[in-house]
Structure formats: structure tokens, C-alpha cells
Amino acid sequence: MNKRKEYYYLPKEYWKKHDYCEFLITQIEDLILNKVFKDLHTQTIKFPDEYSELIKTIDEESNPLFDFLEEHKFTDELNHIVRNQLLQGLIRETCYSIQESLLCSLKMRMTVSFTLLRKPFLEILIVLMRMLNETDFIEKFNNTVNFDPIKSTPEQKKILIEKTNIFFYDKYDCDDVFEFIFDKNQSDSIFNITNNAIHLFTDRNPNNKTEKQNLNFIFSTYENTESQWEYIYETVPMILNFLTDLIDLLVLKCTSIEQKVFTDRINKRERLRKLNNVC
């Protein structure tokens, strides 16, 4: 694991858990940067011989590849390309958000740190779980007007978490994952805390309602910051591990990369988790 030279303001008691979170997000970033995972970024289409002349008409401006595939009913090929490109984009956005969130935590910029956790856990995670568990997800994404890939009820989120956890041999406590991230009735869920970080004043939900003579995060004391650090490093390692496992599984299913590559990554995560007593 990379040894950080500077932890800025972060108390030493959280260094190991912070390092573990950085390790996880570095593993996710490797899916984009490491040549081992080139199959995620490069797709090959073998067209029948009778399409040899038509292929020459493909042009990014006048006749884009996606339009060509759709017009000539190459549905499987189109879905494969869309799935991989969507996954790449979600991985990049996850890295951008969580890497910056962790850096802001070190620098005691807690409002920004919490704000940046919102998209990867409350939005991207839902899309990834739907990609894994809904066989018609890409078809809807490609063809359904006004299709919202994030919209889901609390019950649907619970079901997605449970179905996803089956792939991990029930490694996680599904109730914990839901409560830590999505539960509007838990004042310290990612949903409520990030909502407070984004908005100066909140009053719709009694579980994150702004008290009188107060604005969210504006009058935080050092004691408040300490409790926020405690929350981050007790909560984020587990849910980030869940997210990392999920992303690995999707890349495995979307590519021809050997399963051993992902097994080795999981084993390394598990060794470091136990070594550093996290999650």
C-alpha cells in the first residue's frame, strides 16, 4: 500500500482506514489505467462478409457506428459497446468523486468531502446494481425515452442490494448497506448527511432538519469535525468495499479478462482489510 507522507489534519487513529479507502479507489482506477484491463476499453466487431462495403460508410459525423449497428440490427454488438462505455464512464466518475472526497477529508474540508460522496453512493451505485441484476437494463437505456436509470423505491434498493450480495456469497449485511447509504430515516445515512452538506437549510425530513439559529455545516466546531471523521472512517471503508466488489464483477462479466485477475484483487483487499482492522 502506498505510504502517504502527509495526512494534513487527519488524526493518526484514522490513518490506516484512510489508507485502505485510498487503496480501494486505486484498485478501481486501475480498471481504467492498467493495460491488464484493456478489454474494457477496446471492443472488436466481426461483421459478415456481405457488410464489407457498407462498413466503409461508417462515419462519426454522417453515419455514426451506433446508428449503423442499430439500423442493421446488430443489437448484441451495440449493447456490448454501450455497456462497456457506460461502465467506463461510471468508473471514472467514481474515481473523480471519491479521490477528491478523501483528499478533502485530510484537509478538514468536511462539507466538500461529504458532498462528493453523494454521486458515487446514491446514484452511481444504483446504476451499477441495475446493470448487474436487470437483464433488460441496457436495452431500456438504449431505447426507452425518459428512462431514469437511478429512480428506484426504497424497497427496490433493498432488493438490488440483496441480489448483488448473493454474487458475493452474502459477504455483506444488506440491512447495514441500505441503512448506511439510502435510509432516509437514519440521520447519519449518506443520504441525509450529504443532503445537509449540499444545502444550508433542510426542513423536509425531520431526520436531517436544520435546528434553529443554525445552518448546515457552517458553525461546525472541531468536535463536530472529529465526529464527522469518525463517521467517514467507520462507514466508508465498508460501503466502498461493496462498491469495489460490484465494479470488479461487472468488468469481469463485460470482458474476457481471466477471473484469476479479479480473485487476486479481492484477496488482496481482504488481506489488507484484516491487517488494518477495517470494515
Side-chain angles (χ1 to χ4, degrees), residues 1-4 6-26 98-108 110 113 229 232-234 236-237 240 276-278:
M1 185 181 294
N2 182 39
K3 298 297 183 181
R4 173 176 291 282
E6 180 61 81
Y7 288 90
Y8 297 96
Y9 302 104
L10 185 67
K12 190 172 183 178
E13 63 189 287
Y14 301 119
W15 287 6
K16 286 186 177 181
K17 291 184 178 181
H18 183 92
D19 285 347
Y20 184 68
C21 289
E22 287 202 334
F23 167 75
L24 293 177
I25 201 63
T26 298
I98 296 180
Q99 285 169 337
E100 291 301 316
S101 176
L102 292 172
L103 179 59
C104 286
S105 174
L106 293 176
K107 294 183 176 182
M108 209 161 63
M110 307 309 289
S113 180
W229 272 325
I232 286 175
Y233 296 109
E234 287 301 319
V236 172
L240 182 54
N276 292 288
N277 193 30
V278 296

Side-chain angles (χ1 to χ4, degrees), residues 19-209:
D19 285 347
Y20 184 68
C21 289
E22 287 202 334
F23 167 75
L24 293 177
I25 201 63
T26 298
Q27 274 205 328
I28 295 175
E29 186 178 48
D30 277 347
L31 297 169
I32 298 296
L33 301 180
N34 195 320
K35 292 181 179 178
V36 171
F37 305 102
K38 63 181 180 180
D39 275 9
L40 179 62
H41 319 293
T42 305
Q43 291 86 48
T44 301
I45 301 175
K46 295 183 178 180
F47 291 102
D49 292 341
E50 58 265 29
Y51 284 87
S52 57
E53 289 301 315
L54 279 173
I55 291 171
K56 298 176 183 178
T57 68
I58 297 175
D59 181 83
E60 285 308 308
E61 292 185 5
S62 61
N63 188 23
L65 175 62
F66 280 15
D67 290 350
F68 180 90
L69 294 174
E70 185 174 5
E71 178 185 355
H72 295 283
K73 309 301 181 184
F74 289 99
T75 304
D76 290 343
E77 291 81 359
L78 175 61
N79 288 346
H80 178 69
I81 292 174
V82 171
R83 182 182 294 108
N84 283 24
Q85 290 199 356
L86 176 58
L87 186 53
Q88 288 178 65
L90 294 172
I91 290 171
R92 288 193 183 93
E93 194 67 21
T94 297
C95 291
Y96 297 155
S97 298
I98 296 180
Q99 285 169 337
E100 291 301 316
S101 176
L102 292 172
L103 179 59
C104 286
S105 174
L106 293 176
K107 294 183 176 182
M108 209 161 63
R109 299 172 182 173
M110 307 309 289
T111 303
V112 182
S113 180
F114 278 107
T115 298
L116 289 168
L117 293 177
R118 192 169 182 87
K119 184 183 287 187
F121 290 116
L122 290 174
E123 298 184 349
I124 291 175
L125 178 59
I126 294 174
V127 178
L128 293 172
M129 289 193 295
R130 292 188 69 180
M131 288 177 66
L132 176 66
N133 293 290
E134 297 178 10
T135 55
D136 61 347
F137 178 83
I138 294 298
E139 192 70 30
K140 290 179 180 177
F141 184 78
N142 279 341
N143 301 306
T144 303
V145 177
N146 296 325
F147 172 63
D148 186 344
I150 301 168
K151 186 176 181 180
S152 52
T153 66
E155 189 59 36
Q156 287 169 332
K157 292 182 179 70
K158 290 178 182 179
I159 292 172
L160 283 171
I161 292 169
E162 290 169 0
K163 286 184 176 180
T164 301
N165 198 33
I166 290 172
F167 286 99
F168 308 142
Y169 304 101
D170 294 321
K171 174 180 174 181
Y172 299 92
D173 185 312
C174 294
D175 290 336
D176 282 351
V177 175
F178 177 80
E179 289 175 5
F180 288 171
I181 301 174
F182 300 111
D183 196 343
K184 296 180 181 180
N185 296 319
Q186 295 289 333
S187 60
D188 59 354
S189 65
I190 292 290
F191 177 89
N192 280 324
I193 291 183
T194 59
N195 201 40
N196 283 351
I198 291 172
H199 302 292
L200 286 177
F201 183 82
T202 47
D203 64 351
R204 292 184 180 179
N205 185 346
N207 293 293
N208 70 340
K209 187 175 181 179

